[in-house]
Amino acid sequence: MNRSPFSSIDSLKLTFNHIKIWYTSGMGFFTDAYDLFIIGAIIDIFEAYKLPGFQLNSFYEGILASSAIITAVLGQIVFGILGDKIGRKKVYGVEASLLSAGALLSAFSPNLLWLIIFRMIMGVGIGGDYPISATIMSEYANVKDRGKLIALVFANQGIGTLVAVAVGAISAYTLPPDIAWRVMAGIGAIPAATVIYLRRKVPETPRYAALIKGDLKEAEKSASFLGAKLNLSKIEVRKMSFSDFLSKYWKLLIGTAGTWLILDMAYYGTGVYSGPIVSSILGKPSSVGQEIVFAGIPFMVGFFGYFTAVALMDKLGRKVIQTQGFIMMALIYVVVSSIMIVTNNKVAGFLISSSEALAIYAMSFFFIDFGPNTTTFVIPAEVYPTSYRTTGHGISAAAGKVGAAISTYLFPTLLATIGLKELLVMLSLLSILGAAITIVFIKEPKMKSLEEITEELKGEKEEVKA
């Protein structure tokens, strides 16, 4: 086993600059989660008030709900490739600019078509944020806390969701509907806008500078950003073409992309349409504001799942957390569907009290977040070589967003045709498949250097001075 030339970074204790990188990387995910929830609230307003220029039918509802998700696929692939080809630093901040601009412009949309277009711009930024932010955090992190730090970047989703619930409910209760939805859309631009400058100032990662650019001086300078000291001589890296990458890593790609696709089919379907699902349990809400609060209840439970995953990521390991999350999702979906009383595909009641049914259903969000929603983000940032790390992460994340787009587009139709009960059974079967793929195709990266995980170095040709 080769000793990593970056052991002085790997062995660091947590520093202030680790936290600075976490904040800089995490704000895009705040907006991603904010958008996931808030578009459901905006759709609730459009359906309740039939605003001129924003009237929905089932087709346009599906397009609006999935518009940012569809273009996120493009952002994940393009920025993933660029991050490996020209460097993490050169593209960092561009995706946050697109994200902020799209969110802000959405708030000023004159009609539904422009809202969809502006959300598609935002989606490109959201997508681009995945591979770049995850990889920068991974390549700067120490081994002991790497899983925790990458998970913390993603855990900003939990904060974004809670803010979205608050903004959505307050706006719906206090503002005219034609103003309320614009406030909801526009506030999503603020967090990402605060880090555009910081992202442009983050140095290129030491690993990319040394292993891909071959600039050892830049690598040493970048390491000093964390307070680490590198003393590098020549590093020999196993060069590979894209076909070589696919040949060596195709099983891992099935694991990281396949599980992310399955996870997002469950998460985005139940997430965007959380309002109708919770309303079927608690009964019809008395106002749009109350419907938004109803929709937010599972997300509030899920919030604690993010930080449970952060706390245990480097103790239990990514594979254990992901497997148990999928299994618990499958169990909860089956239990909730089995206690439903259904008439003509409509939920007429439950065999237990509605509050008990909601508590069980909301726990699926806890295990989504203390499970594959977090780990599918963490694992691809660790298991691929430096030359294809953002590409591998981008492909995996894009697969997830494809699943999310399919789910958000089809969910309204499936709810109307087969009903919630059968839909939950389908999601349960998907979750079981996700657990199986995890067990077969994912390898555990816990407590290993990135170079040990990927085996991308030819030999120990360098000395490291801590």
Side-chain angles (χ1 to χ4, degrees):
M1 181 179 68
N2 293 330
R3 186 187 181 196
S4 170
F6 306 100
S7 59
S8 63
I9 294 174
D10 291 340
S11 60
L12 280 176
K13 294 182 178 181
L14 279 178
T15 68
F16 172 77
N17 278 332
H18 281 120
I19 304 303
K20 184 178 178 180
I21 293 172
W22 160 73
Y23 172 77
T24 304
S25 301
M27 284 301 99
F29 297 97
F30 178 105
T31 302
D32 183 26
Y34 180 92
D35 174 70
L36 167 64
F37 181 88
I38 214 66
I39 190 57
I42 290 172
I43 288 171
D44 289 341
I45 287 181
F46 289 169
E47 289 183 335
Y49 296 102
K50 313 297 182 186
L51 300 177
F54 297 93
Q55 296 181 5
L56 296 175
N57 55 32
S58 59
F59 173 78
Y60 279 108
E61 180 179 339
I63 291 294
L64 178 59
S66 60
S67 55
I69 298 170
I70 293 169
T71 52
V73 174
L74 175 65
Q76 286 157 336
I77 296 294
V78 170
F79 279 84
I81 293 171
L82 289 176
D84 285 327
K85 292 295 183 184
I86 66 175
R88 288 65 160 129
K89 176 178 173 55
K90 285 188 177 179
V91 296
Y92 208 35
V94 176
E95 73 300 308
S97 300
L98 288 171
L99 199 163
S100 296
L104 183 62
L105 289 170
S106 295
F108 294 95
S109 301
N111 54 46
L112 185 60
L113 176 60
W114 279 107
L115 177 58
I116 291 171
I117 291 171
F118 292 143
R119 283 180 53 76
M120 293 176 77
I121 294 172
M122 180 179 67
V124 174
I126 286 175
D129 203 34
Y130 275 72
I132 305 301
S133 286
T135 296
I136 283 177
M137 189 74 261
S138 173
E139 291 180 349
Y140 267 114
N142 58 340
V143 167
K144 180 175 178 289
D145 300 299
R146 189 178 63 237
K148 179 192 306 178
L149 286 168
I150 304 172
L152 266 174
V153 170
F154 197 68
N156 280 278
Q157 281 200 345
I159 302 169
T161 299
L162 293 187
V163 172
V165 174
V167 170
I170 292 170
S171 299
Y173 277 121
T174 62
L175 298 173
D178 57 336
I179 300 298
W181 78 264
R182 295 181 187 277
V183 171
M184 294 178 195
I187 284 179
I190 297 172
T194 66
V195 297
I196 294 172
Y197 175 78
L198 292 175
R199 289 187 175 195
R200 297 307 300 159
K201 291 297 183 180
V202 170
E204 184 58 83
T205 70
R207 285 178 160 93
Y208 188 88
L211 301 181
I212 308 305
K213 295 175 68 176
D215 190 334
L216 303 186
K217 293 296 183 183
E218 183 181 5
E220 292 170 3
K221 183 178 179 181
S222 298
S224 67
F225 175 72
L226 291 175
K229 184 173 177 59
L230 301 181
N231 186 14
L232 302 175
S233 58
K234 185 178 179 182
I235 302 175
E236 294 187 43
V237 183
R238 291 188 174 94
K239 302 291 185 182
M240 64 175 70
S241 65
F242 186 66
S243 61
D244 293 333
F245 168 70
L246 292 178
S247 176
K248 182 173 182 179
Y249 290 95
W250 66 270
K251 288 183 179 180
L252 264 178
L253 279 170
I254 290 175
T256 58
T259 52
W260 208 334
L261 183 146
I262 289 169
L263 175 274
D264 275 5
M265 289 187 75
Y267 182 55
Y268 277 76
T270 57
V272 172
Y273 295 98
S274 177
I277 294 173
V278 175
S279 295
S280 72
I281 298 174
L282 296 181
K284 185 174 176 61
S286 60
S287 66
V288 173
Q290 188 179 58
E291 184 171 2
I292 292 171
V293 173
F294 279 7
I297 292 172
F299 288 95
M300 295 175 194
V301 175
F303 173 83
F304 297 98
Y306 284 106
F307 292 95
T308 304
V310 167
L312 298 177
M313 188 65 63
D314 294 304
K315 296 177 181 177
L316 296 180
R318 293 63 155 152
K319 191 169 182 176
V320 169
I321 291 175
Q322 183 160 302
T323 303
Q324 66 84 30
F326 271 128
I327 291 171
M328 291 304 299
M329 287 163 59
L331 288 173
I332 291 168
Y333 291 144
V334 165
V335 168
V336 174
S337 66
S338 67
I339 60 177
M340 287 179 174
I341 301 170
V342 176
T343 305
N344 296 326
N345 284 342
K346 299 292 183 181
V347 179
F350 289 84
L351 299 175
I352 60 177
S353 71
S354 58
S355 59
E356 290 171 329
L358 178 59
I360 295 172
Y361 173 71
M363 285 303 295
S364 70
F365 280 67
F366 176 85
F367 285 104
I368 283 173
D369 296 330
F370 175 43
N373 192 35
T374 301
T375 52
T376 53
F377 177 80
V378 174
I379 294 169
E382 301 177 296
V383 296
Y384 296 112
T386 308
S387 56
Y388 287 99
R389 187 164 289 133
T390 57
T391 300
H393 198 286
I395 291 171
S396 304
K401 283 296 189 279
V402 167
I406 292 170
S407 185
T408 51
Y409 181 73
L410 292 180
F411 221 79
T413 302
L414 292 174
L415 278 174
T417 54
I418 67 173
L420 181 57
K421 182 183 180 75
E422 298 303 323
L423 192 52
L424 288 175
V425 173
M426 289 174 56
L427 294 180
S428 178
L429 294 174
L430 275 175
S431 300
I432 292 171
L433 178 60
I437 294 174
T438 300
I439 292 168
V440 174
F441 291 103
I442 296 293
K443 64 179 182 179
E444 179 56 62
K446 174 180 80 167
M447 293 300 170
K448 297 177 181 178
S449 74
L450 295 177
E451 291 69 43
E452 181 183 350
I453 297 165
T454 61
E455 300 177 343
E456 61 187 296
L457 300 184
K458 285 185 178 180
E460 191 168 346
K461 300 292 184 181
E462 60 286 322
E463 295 179 357
V464 182
K465 183 178 180 180

